[in-house]
Amino acid sequence: MDIEIVKKIEELKRKRKAVILAHFYQSPEVQDIADFVGDSLELSRKARDAEGETIVFCGVWFMAETAKVLCPQKTVLLPEQNAGCPMADMVTPDDVHRLRAEHPGAAVVCYVNSSAGIKACSDICCTSSNAVAVVKSLKESEIIFVPDQNLGHYVSTQVPDKRFILHSGFCPTHHRISPDDITAARAAHPNALVLVHPECPPGVVSQADFTGSTAQILDYATKSEQTAFIIGTEDGILYRLGKQNPGKQFYPLGGSMVCSNMKKTSLESVYRSLKDMQYQMELDKETISKAAVCLNRMFSVS
Ligand code: 13P
Ligand code: SF4
């Protein structure tokens, strides 16, 4: 069954001149049919430079929307219409305007996990892999960071000379991890290093051996001479970690971390997406041009 559907996807991909991009959090079978699997920064670069006419984005809404901003002339498809990101929905343009009014002179940095509307009213975008570099590049000494309070806090510890105003958003999948989960995981696997995503709360990040984006976690584990790791980010990354490091052991922190939105995409939905050309991302011209400025400022830094 899987072989049949994979064949159909390949045929439709040629017909639609499509490229399939998938985030590390996607399920193994979706990662396996993608032309490229990566973290948010790598995927946004791939989308920006993609050839062909169609991009199928196996991820969540804001990722496909970002691809549309970067390639407005292409058809960008999100296979699952309801694959959203709860954290991205926690901040509105009104919040950004209010924070700007309260802190005139501050720069607004938005995490890429946000809508195009938020990007359109922010000064510069960042992802979890370049957030520190993006903030360091700014001349402003006051930073409004939206929407992730945990990534914002992590950046504030790396850039102590700036003052941060953090929005209260969070990722439900990472935010529920506690320092007790690290204590339990270290007791169960005493020789393992703890690698976590900066979307985890400060008490978790401060006890980890390494903090980084999904691509940075992959790179760290691959280059490390250690052979056992406790992984504090969404479970989808475990597939790639295992594939790339067959001799090493990986244990999920907190038992299991699953983003139900990332897991909505299936081979069936990718097939339907290419067959029916759905669900197409649409944005108005003004939002595209303003959000593109915010994203391109990020690309000029990293
Ligand atoms: P990265 O892709 O930057 O590691 O971020 C993870 C994430 O939460 C995507 O939704
Ligand atoms: Fe959003 Fe968290 Fe899921 Fe990433 S893992 S898409 S931040 S809910």
Side-chain angles (χ1 to χ4, degrees):
M1 173 59 188
D2 273 8
I3 296 174
E4 274 310 300
I5 201 160
V6 170
K7 262 203 219 151
K8 286 188 203 165
I9 290 172
E10 288 296 334
E11 274 165 28
L12 281 168
K13 217 176 74 172
R14 280 190 289 277
K15 184 172 162 196
R16 306 291 193 205
K17 296 189 174 50
V19 57
I20 301 179
L21 304 180
H23 192 269
F24 286 130
Y25 294 165
Q26 293 289 296
S27 57
E29 60 275 19
V30 172
Q31 293 191 33
D32 282 347
I33 49 112
D35 295 296
F36 183 78
V37 185
D39 75 352
S40 302
L41 181 63
E42 295 168 332
L43 290 171
S44 58
R45 285 205 191 104
K46 284 282 170 191
R48 182 194 60 187
D49 303 336
E51 287 176 3
E53 293 169 7
T54 307
I55 297 173
V56 182
F57 216 119
C58 302
V60 291
W61 187 273
F62 75 80
M63 295 180 168
E65 214 185 37
T66 301
K68 185 68 187 175
V69 169
L70 295 169
C71 316
Q73 74 291 354
K74 288 199 201 321
T75 302
V76 179
L77 304 173
L78 181 70
E80 286 288 338
Q81 193 174 27
N82 296 323
C85 169
M87 170 159 66
D89 294 340
M90 289 178 192
V91 64
T92 65
D94 279 351
D95 294 328
V96 173
H97 298 313
R98 178 180 47 79
L99 287 165
R100 269 199 200 278
E102 287 169 7
H103 305 278
V108 177
V109 180
C110 68
Y111 189 22
V112 70
N113 297 32
S114 59
S115 67
I118 292 296
K119 292 178 181 81
C121 63
S122 297
D123 296 312
I124 188 165
C125 189
C126 71
T127 74
S128 63
S129 57
N130 64 15
V132 172
V134 162
V135 169
K136 279 186 177 166
S137 77
L138 298 172
K139 64 177 187 335
E140 289 86 349
S141 57
E142 219 180 7
I143 306 295
I144 296 168
F145 195 95
V146 301
D148 188 7
Q149 57 172 289
N150 292 327
L151 177 62
H153 182 275
Y154 172 69
V155 177
S156 76
T157 63
Q158 306 299 304
V159 194
D161 53 317
K162 295 195 192 274
R163 201 176 92 76
F164 286 75
I165 298 107
L166 304 179
H167 184 72
S168 55
F170 59 88
C171 162
T173 307
H174 290 83
H175 197 64
R176 69 165 187 82
I177 297 298
S178 73
D180 286 349
D181 291 318
I182 296 208
T183 309
R186 284 201 197 273
H189 311 287
N191 297 322
L193 290 178
V194 178
L195 318 182
V196 304
H197 197 278
E199 288 177 14
C200 291
V204 169
V205 167
S206 65
Q207 289 195 31
D209 297 303
F210 174 76
T211 302
S213 76
T214 44
Q216 290 165 341
I217 287 175
L218 188 61
D219 188 53
Y220 185 96
T222 304
K223 288 182 180 153
S224 172
E225 286 178 2
Q226 295 277 346
T227 55
F229 304 88
I230 294 156
I231 302 298
T233 192
E234 213 272 351
D235 283 5
I237 190 74
L238 297 170
Y239 175 61
R240 182 61 176 259
L241 280 163
K243 205 170 159 181
Q244 206 164 298
N245 300 279
K248 298 185 178 180
Q249 273 81 49
F250 299 97
Y251 308 101
L253 182 58
S256 173
M257 294 172 68
V258 176
C259 170
S260 56
N261 282 284
M262 281 285 184
K263 294 296 185 281
K264 282 181 179 155
T265 316
S266 62
L267 288 184
E268 188 61 40
S269 57
V270 174
Y271 165 65
R272 263 186 282 112
S273 178
L274 277 162
K275 180 167 74 70
D276 302 333
M277 293 301 273
Q278 64 185 19
Y279 294 90
Q280 298 196 18
M281 305 310 293
E282 302 290 355
L283 286 166
D284 64 78
K285 278 195 181 136
E286 192 185 345
T287 304
I288 287 179
S289 75
K290 286 183 176 168
V293 171
C294 177
L295 282 158
N296 287 328
R297 270 192 85 187
M298 169 181 83
F299 287 127
S300 72
V301 173
S302 118

